[in-house]
Amino acid sequence: MGRLEGKAVLLTGASSGIGKQTAIRFAQEGARLTICARRKELLDETAKLCADEGAEVFAYPCDLNNYDDLVKMVDGTIERYGKIDVLVNNAVKGDTPHPLIDYTTEDLRQSIETNYIAPWNLMRLCYPHMKEIGGGSIVNICSTAGTMGLEGFACYASTKEALRGLSRVAANEWGRDGIRVNVLNPSAITDSLQIMHQESPEIAQPIFDMMASIAALKRVGDAYEDIAPAILFLASDDSRYMTGQTLNVEGGGFIVP
Protein backbone atom coordinates (compact mmCIF):
# COMPACT_ATOMS: atom_id res chain seq x y z
CA MET A 1 0.00 0.00 0.00
CA GLY A 2 1.04 3.62 -0.50
CA ARG A 3 2.72 3.21 -3.88
CA LEU A 4 1.05 6.43 -5.10
CA GLU A 5 1.25 8.29 -1.80
CA GLY A 6 1.12 12.03 -2.48
CA LYS A 7 1.04 11.63 -6.25
CA ALA A 8 -1.49 13.66 -8.25
CA VAL A 9 -3.24 11.44 -10.80
CA LEU A 10 -5.53 12.42 -13.68
CA LEU A 11 -7.66 9.45 -14.80
CA THR A 12 -10.23 9.55 -17.61
CA GLY A 13 -13.26 7.35 -18.07
CA ALA A 14 -13.71 6.74 -14.34
CA SER A 15 -17.47 6.32 -14.24
CA SER A 16 -17.44 2.56 -14.84
CA GLY A 17 -15.43 -0.51 -15.74
CA ILE A 18 -11.64 -0.48 -15.72
CA GLY A 19 -11.52 3.27 -15.03
CA LYS A 20 -13.74 3.04 -11.97
CA GLN A 21 -11.89 0.06 -10.50
CA THR A 22 -8.51 1.68 -11.21
CA ALA A 23 -9.60 4.85 -9.44
CA ILE A 24 -10.55 2.82 -6.36
CA ARG A 25 -7.26 0.91 -6.44
CA PHE A 26 -5.32 4.18 -6.81
CA ALA A 27 -7.25 5.71 -3.89
CA GLN A 28 -6.21 2.76 -1.73
CA GLU A 29 -2.59 3.46 -2.71
CA GLY A 30 -2.67 7.08 -1.54
CA ALA A 31 -3.23 8.92 -4.82
CA ARG A 32 -4.73 12.39 -5.00
CA LEU A 33 -7.20 11.96 -7.80
CA THR A 34 -8.74 13.93 -10.60
CA ILE A 35 -11.32 11.71 -12.27
CA CYS A 36 -13.52 12.56 -15.21
CA ALA A 37 -16.37 11.16 -17.27
CA ARG A 38 -19.46 12.44 -19.04
CA ARG A 39 -21.98 10.74 -16.74
CA LYS A 40 -22.01 12.87 -13.59
CA GLU A 41 -24.08 10.53 -11.40
CA LEU A 42 -21.81 7.57 -12.07
CA LEU A 43 -18.71 9.74 -11.70
CA ASP A 44 -19.94 10.98 -8.32
CA GLU A 45 -20.45 7.37 -7.25
CA THR A 46 -16.82 6.58 -8.11
CA ALA A 47 -15.68 9.72 -6.29
CA LYS A 48 -17.52 8.65 -3.13
CA LEU A 49 -15.98 5.18 -3.23
CA CYS A 50 -12.52 6.74 -3.58
CA ALA A 51 -13.19 9.23 -0.79
CA ASP A 52 -14.31 6.36 1.42
CA GLU A 53 -10.80 4.97 0.95
CA GLY A 54 -9.40 8.21 2.33
CA ALA A 55 -8.42 9.78 -0.99
CA GLU A 56 -8.71 13.42 -1.97
CA VAL A 57 -10.85 13.44 -5.12
CA PHE A 58 -11.61 16.09 -7.73
CA ALA A 59 -14.51 14.77 -9.86
CA TYR A 60 -14.79 16.68 -13.11
CA PRO A 61 -17.67 15.88 -15.48
CA CYS A 62 -16.48 16.70 -18.96
CA ASP A 63 -16.63 15.95 -22.65
CA LEU A 64 -13.18 14.73 -23.68
CA ASN A 65 -13.90 15.88 -27.21
CA ASN A 66 -14.18 19.48 -25.99
CA TYR A 67 -10.69 20.95 -25.81
CA ASP A 68 -11.75 23.74 -23.45
CA ASP A 69 -13.02 21.12 -21.00
CA LEU A 70 -9.63 19.42 -21.05
CA VAL A 71 -7.80 22.69 -20.40
CA LYS A 72 -10.10 23.47 -17.47
CA MET A 73 -9.62 19.99 -16.02
CA VAL A 74 -5.82 20.15 -16.22
CA ASP A 75 -5.76 23.71 -14.85
CA GLY A 76 -8.13 22.67 -12.06
CA THR A 77 -5.87 19.78 -11.14
CA ILE A 78 -2.84 22.06 -10.97
CA GLU A 79 -4.77 24.61 -8.91
CA ARG A 80 -5.88 21.89 -6.49
CA TYR A 81 -2.77 19.72 -6.21
CA GLY A 82 0.01 21.90 -7.58
CA LYS A 83 1.25 19.21 -9.96
CA ILE A 84 0.38 16.21 -12.15
CA ASP A 85 2.45 13.07 -11.60
CA VAL A 86 0.38 10.53 -13.50
CA LEU A 87 -1.98 10.61 -16.49
CA VAL A 88 -4.07 7.55 -17.33
CA ASN A 89 -5.91 7.81 -20.65
CA ASN A 90 -8.59 5.20 -20.15
CA ALA A 91 -11.78 6.69 -21.64
CA VAL A 92 -12.90 4.99 -24.80
CA LYS A 93 -15.53 4.96 -27.49
CA GLY A 94 -16.28 1.32 -28.22
CA ASP A 95 -18.05 -0.21 -31.18
CA THR A 96 -20.93 -2.56 -31.64
CA PRO A 97 -19.03 -5.03 -33.81
CA HIS A 98 -19.83 -5.19 -37.49
CA PRO A 99 -17.87 -5.66 -40.72
CA LEU A 100 -15.45 -3.00 -41.91
CA ILE A 101 -17.51 -2.41 -45.05
CA ASP A 102 -20.53 -1.41 -42.93
CA TYR A 103 -18.75 1.31 -40.95
CA THR A 104 -19.14 4.91 -42.02
CA THR A 105 -16.58 7.68 -42.15
CA GLU A 106 -18.54 9.37 -39.36
CA ASP A 107 -18.11 6.26 -37.19
CA LEU A 108 -14.37 6.56 -37.70
CA ARG A 109 -14.34 10.28 -36.93
CA GLN A 110 -16.13 9.70 -33.62
CA SER A 111 -13.70 6.96 -32.64
CA ILE A 112 -10.70 9.12 -33.55
CA GLU A 113 -12.02 12.02 -31.43
CA THR A 114 -12.31 10.00 -28.21
CA ASN A 115 -9.75 7.23 -28.63
CA TYR A 116 -6.91 9.24 -30.17
CA ILE A 117 -7.33 13.02 -30.22
CA ALA A 118 -8.44 13.29 -26.59
CA PRO A 119 -5.39 11.36 -25.30
CA TRP A 120 -3.18 13.34 -27.71
CA ASN A 121 -4.48 16.60 -26.24
CA LEU A 122 -4.23 15.50 -22.62
CA MET A 123 -0.69 14.24 -23.07
CA ARG A 124 0.34 17.59 -24.55
CA LEU A 125 -1.48 19.55 -21.83
CA CYS A 126 0.09 17.51 -19.02
CA TYR A 127 3.59 17.48 -20.50
CA PRO A 128 4.80 20.92 -19.31
CA HIS A 129 3.58 20.23 -15.78
CA MET A 130 5.35 16.86 -15.66
CA LYS A 131 8.50 18.38 -17.12
CA GLU A 132 8.44 21.11 -14.48
CA ILE A 133 8.56 18.56 -11.64
CA GLY A 134 11.20 16.43 -13.34
CA GLY A 135 9.09 13.56 -14.63
CA GLY A 136 5.89 11.60 -14.54
CA SER A 137 4.11 8.56 -15.89
CA ILE A 138 1.58 8.39 -18.72
CA VAL A 139 -0.38 5.17 -19.14
CA ASN A 140 -2.45 4.79 -22.30
CA ILE A 141 -5.05 2.03 -22.27
CA CYS A 142 -5.16 0.37 -25.69
CA SER A 143 -6.50 -3.02 -26.75
CA THR A 144 -5.70 -6.47 -27.98
CA ALA A 145 -8.46 -5.81 -30.52
CA GLY A 146 -5.88 -3.69 -32.32
CA THR A 147 -2.86 -5.93 -31.95
CA MET A 148 -4.90 -8.96 -33.02
CA GLY A 149 -6.90 -7.21 -35.72
CA LEU A 150 -10.09 -8.48 -34.12
CA GLU A 151 -12.88 -8.87 -36.67
CA GLY A 152 -15.73 -6.41 -36.32
CA PHE A 153 -13.75 -3.69 -34.52
CA ALA A 154 -12.28 -1.68 -37.41
CA CYS A 155 -12.70 1.80 -35.87
CA TYR A 156 -11.88 0.85 -32.28
CA ALA A 157 -8.90 -1.34 -33.15
CA SER A 158 -7.32 1.10 -35.60
CA THR A 159 -7.61 4.12 -33.29
CA LYS A 160 -6.16 2.17 -30.37
CA GLU A 161 -3.20 1.13 -32.51
CA ALA A 162 -2.71 4.77 -33.50
CA LEU A 163 -2.56 5.66 -29.79
CA ARG A 164 0.01 2.89 -29.29
CA GLY A 165 2.19 4.43 -32.01
CA LEU A 166 1.85 7.87 -30.47
CA SER A 167 2.89 6.44 -27.10
CA ARG A 168 6.16 5.13 -28.52
CA VAL A 169 6.97 8.48 -30.13
CA ALA A 170 6.21 10.37 -26.91
CA ALA A 171 8.31 7.91 -24.90
CA ASN A 172 11.32 8.65 -27.12
CA GLU A 173 10.81 12.40 -27.17
CA TRP A 174 9.94 12.90 -23.50
CA GLY A 175 12.25 10.37 -21.86
CA ARG A 176 14.93 13.05 -21.52
CA ASP A 177 12.46 14.98 -19.33
CA GLY A 178 11.96 11.99 -17.04
CA ILE A 179 8.47 11.30 -18.42
CA ARG A 180 7.61 7.67 -19.07
CA VAL A 181 4.89 6.68 -21.55
CA ASN A 182 3.62 3.10 -21.60
CA VAL A 183 0.64 1.19 -22.96
CA LEU A 184 -1.51 -1.44 -21.32
CA ASN A 185 -3.61 -3.85 -23.37
CA PRO A 186 -6.25 -5.38 -21.08
CA SER A 187 -8.70 -8.20 -21.51
CA ALA A 188 -11.56 -7.85 -19.06
CA ILE A 189 -15.33 -7.95 -18.84
CA THR A 190 -16.07 -4.25 -18.58
CA ASP A 191 -19.39 -2.48 -18.04
CA SER A 192 -19.61 -1.67 -21.75
CA LEU A 193 -19.22 -5.33 -22.66
CA GLN A 194 -21.85 -6.29 -20.09
CA ILE A 195 -24.23 -3.72 -21.55
CA MET A 196 -23.49 -5.06 -25.02
CA HIS A 197 -24.31 -8.54 -23.72
CA GLN A 198 -27.65 -7.32 -22.39
CA GLU A 199 -28.54 -5.51 -25.60
CA SER A 200 -27.06 -7.88 -28.18
CA PRO A 201 -26.18 -11.23 -26.54
CA GLU A 202 -25.85 -12.87 -29.93
CA ILE A 203 -22.95 -10.48 -30.66
CA ALA A 204 -21.38 -10.26 -27.21
CA GLN A 205 -21.43 -13.91 -26.13
CA PRO A 206 -19.10 -15.10 -28.90
CA ILE A 207 -16.71 -12.30 -27.88
CA PHE A 208 -16.79 -13.46 -24.25
CA ASP A 209 -16.24 -17.05 -25.32
CA MET A 210 -13.40 -16.08 -27.64
CA MET A 211 -11.67 -14.01 -24.95
CA ALA A 212 -11.76 -16.90 -22.50
CA SER A 213 -10.82 -19.60 -25.02
CA ILE A 214 -7.81 -17.74 -26.42
CA ALA A 215 -6.41 -16.93 -22.98
CA ALA A 216 -4.00 -19.51 -21.64
CA LEU A 217 -5.62 -19.09 -18.22
CA LYS A 218 -9.04 -19.87 -19.78
CA ARG A 219 -10.85 -16.98 -18.16
CA VAL A 220 -11.49 -13.30 -18.76
CA GLY A 221 -9.86 -10.76 -16.49
CA ASP A 222 -11.49 -8.91 -13.62
CA ALA A 223 -11.12 -5.11 -13.78
CA TYR A 224 -10.24 -4.65 -10.09
CA GLU A 225 -8.30 -7.83 -9.34
CA ASP A 226 -6.43 -8.30 -12.62
CA ILE A 227 -6.26 -5.07 -14.63
CA ALA A 228 -6.07 -2.22 -12.09
CA PRO A 229 -2.94 -3.62 -10.36
CA ALA A 230 -1.12 -3.67 -13.70
CA ILE A 231 -2.09 -0.06 -14.40
CA LEU A 232 -0.89 0.75 -10.88
CA PHE A 233 2.46 -0.86 -11.71
CA LEU A 234 2.93 1.34 -14.78
CA ALA A 235 1.78 4.45 -12.92
CA SER A 236 4.03 3.91 -9.91
CA ASP A 237 7.79 4.05 -9.42
CA ASP A 238 7.83 0.23 -9.55
CA SER A 239 8.15 0.62 -13.34
CA ARG A 240 10.59 3.55 -13.20
CA TYR A 241 12.88 2.00 -15.85
CA MET A 242 10.11 1.16 -18.33
CA THR A 243 8.98 3.41 -21.16
CA GLY A 244 7.67 2.93 -24.68
CA GLN A 245 6.44 -0.54 -23.77
CA THR A 246 3.17 -2.41 -24.27
CA LEU A 247 2.13 -4.51 -21.29
CA ASN A 248 -0.38 -7.18 -22.26
CA VAL A 249 -2.65 -8.19 -19.39
CA GLU A 250 -4.87 -10.69 -21.16
CA GLY A 251 -4.38 -14.09 -19.58
CA GLY A 252 -1.82 -15.27 -22.14
CA GLY A 253 -2.30 -16.66 -25.60
CA PHE A 254 -3.06 -13.50 -27.57
CA ILE A 255 -0.94 -12.81 -30.63
CA VAL A 256 0.69 -9.46 -29.90
CA PRO A 257 3.57 -8.25 -32.10
Side-chain angles (χ1 to χ4, degrees):
M1 305 296 285
R3 281 179 287 177
L4 296 177
E5 193 67 42
K7 290 188 182 294
V9 176
L10 197 165
L11 168 65
T12 70
S15 61
S16 63
I18 290 173
K20 177 179 181 178
Q21 299 306 321
T22 298
I24 294 169
R25 181 72 76 163
F26 279 20
Q28 294 167 342
E29 294 284 347
R32 306 166 75 192
L33 289 163
T34 293
I35 57 174
C36 73
R38 286 180 299 176
R39 296 173 289 181
K40 184 179 185 304
E41 290 184 4
L42 293 178
L43 184 64
D44 288 343
E45 178 183 315
T46 301
K48 182 182 183 306
L49 291 170
C50 292
D52 288 346
E53 297 291 344
E56 185 177 355
V57 188
F58 172 36
Y60 188 83
C62 76
D63 179 359
L64 292 178
N65 299 333
N66 184 322
Y67 184 76
D68 289 340
D69 271 4
L70 301 185
V71 171
K72 290 175 183 177
M73 178 170 61
V74 171
D75 288 349
T77 301
I78 293 299
E79 181 178 348
R80 188 173 188 124
Y81 302 134
K83 61 177 182 172
I84 297 174
D85 297 287
V86 177
L87 167 65
V88 180
N89 281 309
N90 168 74
V92 63
K93 182 191 181 300
D95 298 333
T96 298
H98 48 266
L100 168 60
I101 198 68
D102 293 335
Y103 279 101
T104 66
T105 303
E106 182 57 29
D107 291 331
L108 179 59
R109 285 197 184 100
Q110 291 178 11
S111 290
I112 290 171
E113 285 287 338
T114 301
N115 298 346
Y116 184 75
I117 294 178
W120 165 290
N121 284 330
L122 277 173
M123 289 168 66
R124 286 160 51 89
L125 287 169
C126 289
Y127 167 76
H129 301 294
M130 290 183 170
K131 181 180 180 181
E132 183 178 356
I133 62 173
S137 176
I138 297 172
V139 184
N140 290 325
I141 308 302
C142 293
S143 178
T144 52
T147 53
M148 293 178 65
L150 191 62
E151 291 185 36
F153 290 89
C155 293
Y156 175 72
S158 59
T159 52
K160 285 298 188 178
E161 280 295 272
L163 179 56
R164 205 159 70 100
L166 172 64
S167 301
R168 293 194 295 272
V169 172
N172 279 318
E173 291 189 3
W174 296 352
R176 69 203 67 176
D177 300 311
I179 299 169
R180 301 182 295 107
V181 187
N182 291 292
V183 166
L184 186 135
N185 285 343
S187 176
I189 298 298
T190 63
D191 290 7
S192 60
L193 282 175
Q194 290 172 339
I195 291 170
M196 184 195 299
H197 192 270
Q198 293 169 2
E199 296 177 349
S200 306
E202 73 285 357
I203 295 175
Q205 191 58 52
I207 297 173
F208 288 6
D209 295 342
M210 179 275 296
M211 291 167 70
S213 65
I214 290 178
L217 296 178
K218 301 305 175 190
R219 66 177 179 85
V220 182
D222 177 83
Y224 178 81
E225 295 291 346
D226 299 317
I227 308 302
I231 299 174
L232 170 62
F233 167 70
L234 291 178
S236 74
D237 292 338
D238 289 348
S239 59
R240 64 195 298 265
Y241 201 52
M242 284 181 63
T243 195
Q245 303 302 307
T246 298
L247 183 61
N248 303 298
V249 187
E250 30 72 310
F254 287 84
I255 302 171
V256 182

